[in-house]
Amino acid sequence: MARRVAVVAGGHSKFGKRYDATMRELCAEAYKPIYDEGITQDKIDATVLSYAASQFTGQGAGSALIADYLGMQDIPHLRVESACTTGTASLRAAWGMVAAGLYDVMMVLGVEQMNRVSSATATEYMSRAGDMRWEYPYGISFPAFYALMASRYMHEYNMSHDILAKIAVKSHHYGAQNPKAHLPKEIPFEEANNAIPICRPLNLYDCSLITDGAAAVVIAAEDRVKEFTDRPMWIKGIGAGASEMMIQDRPTLTSIPGAKRAAKAAYEMAGVKPDDINMAQVHDCFTIAELIAYEDLGFAEPGKGPDLVENKENYHDGRIPVNCDGGLKSKGHPLGATGVSMTYEIMKQMRGEADKPSRQIKDVKYGLAHNVGQSGQFVNVFIFERGWS
Ligand SMILES: CC(C)(COP(=O)(O)OP(=O)(O)OC[C@H]1O[C@@H](n2cnc3c(N)ncnc32)[C@H](O)[C@@H]1OP(=O)(O)O)[C@@H](O)C(=O)NCCC(=O)NCCS
């Protein structure tokens, strides 16, 4: 029987173009609040470092470097890599080790420093996550994968770009209230709808940012939780899913099959339904990805995601608040940090510690994180439960 595991502490660096900090300094910034709570290597059994692509900095063996810099030379560490799901894949690995009894307390630290290279080079590195024989040589990049999905969705459901622009407006509305966000500014609808094209039909404001940043969480086994907090966030359900490697082989472009499988597994393990979820952090690497997530997670029927957007049900006071920290779109998307940042945000919201009342979601009992890698080849869904009344 697996042991119950809870998130007991967390920290988060400022996201942005962080030319002022090295990768190790970003990690230290995320770890600082945890250190300030007195959680040092004598209280942690092992760490998992989540970073997706060593090409950005050229640093190999990053987990050794970071453990050393954070004063954790005496405890074991490992690195997990799983494209944009690296953060939640790391959390899943750590959860497994704690649930199985190998360790009692672990820290998961996610980081990426993407702006040491130009946007063009970053785009090239990310594109290498596509099939190097049949996709990459023909120039398909991440904006192009999601542009294909957007085109198909718009065609099948007769949707205009307005809906995608409204998702971007919402993300920037909340990002503007998040001091940790990369691009904390409101954008008017007209600007979002008419920004320069990146890969039609997607424009600048449909795209997530190329970001530097780090986030960290500490997890503990049930019998150790009280040493750290009286406000544990239990890991209640975990689902992982996969989809065909090449987008051309998918049965559909208006849904991510692996996301549906991951969601089903997470809901079953947690014993909850989509209606029970009080908030979600979804992988909005592009606005169309957020729209598709509403449907894959069961918050809307297929083709009905646009109604949820029109009715503002995705706002902090709506039926299913989504990405009220700005999401990947405005808070930013440092690949390895993203899944950890989602977990951190759910913990803060559950604790009533969102930065401003205007983005605080009321009474969160269940929070969901949805983290997608590549164009859906890896998906992790986590359901967290508030552990206090
Ligand atoms: C869209 C994209 C190509 C723009 O990159 P870029 O042209 O190098 O942009 P720059 O960094 O030079 O910034 C130019 C301006 O656009 C803004 N900007 C850049 N990216 C933006 C974005 N995604 N959304 C909104 N504004 C953005 C910058 O703030 C800057 O504004 P300023 O001139 O007022 O300061 C880049 O953000 C991108 O590739 N995003 C997708 C990342 C991705 O694929 N991630 C993996 C997903 S799975």
Side-chain angles (χ1 to χ4, degrees), residues 34-87:
I34 297 171
Y35 175 86
D36 288 346
E37 284 183 40
I39 307 175
T40 50
Q41 69 168 348
D42 51 321
K43 298 212 172 118
I44 300 173
D45 299 320
T47 63
V48 182
L49 181 74
S50 156
Y51 77 110
S54 47
Q55 300 100 306
F56 290 119
T57 58
Q59 175 65 57
S63 63
L65 174 96
I66 302 304
D68 184 69
Y69 192 69
L70 299 184
M72 298 192 182
Q73 305 85 348
D74 303 342
I75 57 174
H77 50 80
L78 62 93
R79 174 194 170 192
V80 168
E81 183 278 312
S82 175
C84 301
T85 54
T86 298

Side-chain angles (χ1 to χ4, degrees), residues 17 84 114-115 119-120 123 126 142-143 146 172 183 185 198 204-210 283 285-286 329 333 335 372 374:
K17 285 194 176 186
C84 301
M114 304 174 73
N115 287 289
S119 297
T123 301
M126 288 188 278
F142 271 103
Y146 283 90
H172 278 271
L183 200 57
K185 67 164 188 180
I198 296 296
L204 182 67
Y205 284 114
D206 290 308
C207 302
S208 58
L209 292 148
I210 295 177
H283 197 91
C285 50
F286 298 91
K329 173 72 209 69
H333 182 25
L335 312 181
V372 177
Q374 292 178 257

Side-chain angles (χ1 to χ4, degrees), residues 103-380:
Y103 300 121
D104 284 347
V105 182
M106 291 187 76
M107 181 165 81
V108 177
L109 179 56
V111 65
E112 211 76 53
Q113 194 171 38
M114 304 174 73
N115 287 289
R116 287 291 155 115
V117 298
S118 67
S119 297
T121 304
T123 301
E124 198 218 310
Y125 289 161
M126 288 188 278
S127 305
R128 286 170 185 263
D131 187 313
M132 285 295 287
R133 174 68 184 87
W134 294 111
E135 290 177 323
Y136 173 83
Y138 302 98
I140 189 158
S141 61
F142 271 103
F145 281 124
Y146 283 90
L148 286 170
M149 295 187 207
S151 303
R152 190 69 209 175
Y153 194 103
M154 290 164 91
H155 169 75
E156 275 190 29
Y157 297 115
N158 194 24
M159 183 187 76
S160 76
H161 183 269
D162 294 22
I163 295 293
L164 300 182
K166 284 179 182 173
I167 292 175
V169 168
K170 188 251 313 165
S171 298
H172 278 271
H173 172 66
Y174 288 116
Q177 302 171 58
N178 181 353
K180 303 271 195 306
H182 178 158
L183 200 57
K185 67 164 188 180
E186 298 264 3
I187 45 164
F189 170 77
E190 286 306 324
E191 193 179 326
N193 213 21
N194 298 303
I196 54 162
I198 296 296
C199 186
R200 289 185 199 280
L202 302 180
N203 71 34
L204 182 67
Y205 284 114
D206 290 308
C207 302
S208 58
L209 292 148
I210 295 177
T211 304
D212 308 321
V217 293
V218 176
I219 62 171
E222 51 189 318
D223 45 340
R224 298 285 306 277
V225 158
K226 280 200 171 66
E227 290 170 37
F228 297 91
T229 184
D230 53 4
R231 294 186 298 170
M233 179 172 87
W234 296 107
I235 298 175
K236 186 81 173 157
I238 304 180
S243 309
E244 291 79 0
M245 176 67 191
M246 282 204 288
I247 200 164
Q248 70 189 43
D249 294 330
R250 304 265 171 88
T252 171
L253 289 182
T254 59
S255 164
I256 293 179
K260 284 187 150 176
R261 287 190 272 269
K264 185 169 182 290
Y267 286 131
E268 277 175 11
M269 183 174 161
V272 300
K273 299 192 178 59
D275 281 351
D276 297 318
I277 303 298
N278 308 113
M279 66 170 288
Q281 291 297 121
V282 311
H283 197 91
D284 60 322
C285 50
F286 298 91
T287 48
I288 183 66
E290 178 165 331
L291 185 74
I292 286 177
Y294 299 153
E295 300 176 11
D296 287 344
L297 295 168
F299 302 144
E301 293 296 317
K304 298 293 182 196
D307 297 347
L308 194 153
V309 176
E310 287 287 20
N311 298 329
K312 293 194 164 184
E313 291 170 39
N314 50 1
Y315 276 66
H316 77 287
D317 50 359
R319 176 172 65 85
I320 177 68
V322 177
N323 294 356
C324 294
D325 59 350
L328 283 57
K329 173 72 209 69
S330 172
K331 181 181 66 176
H333 182 25
L335 312 181
T338 287
V340 187
S341 169
M342 290 173 168
T343 307
Y344 170 87
E345 168 66 10
I346 295 172
M347 184 191 81
K348 296 298 272 185
Q349 288 281 0
M350 253 180 208
R351 291 182 173 190
E353 293 173 357
D355 311 285
K356 293 189 177 172
S358 48
R359 75 172 201 88
Q360 176 68 56
I361 302 159
K362 264 198 196 137
D363 203 18
V364 177
K365 183 169 184 209
Y366 293 109
L368 180 149
H370 155 276
N371 194 194
V372 177
Q374 292 178 257
S375 54
Q377 288 85 338
F378 314 89
V379 188
N380 292 315

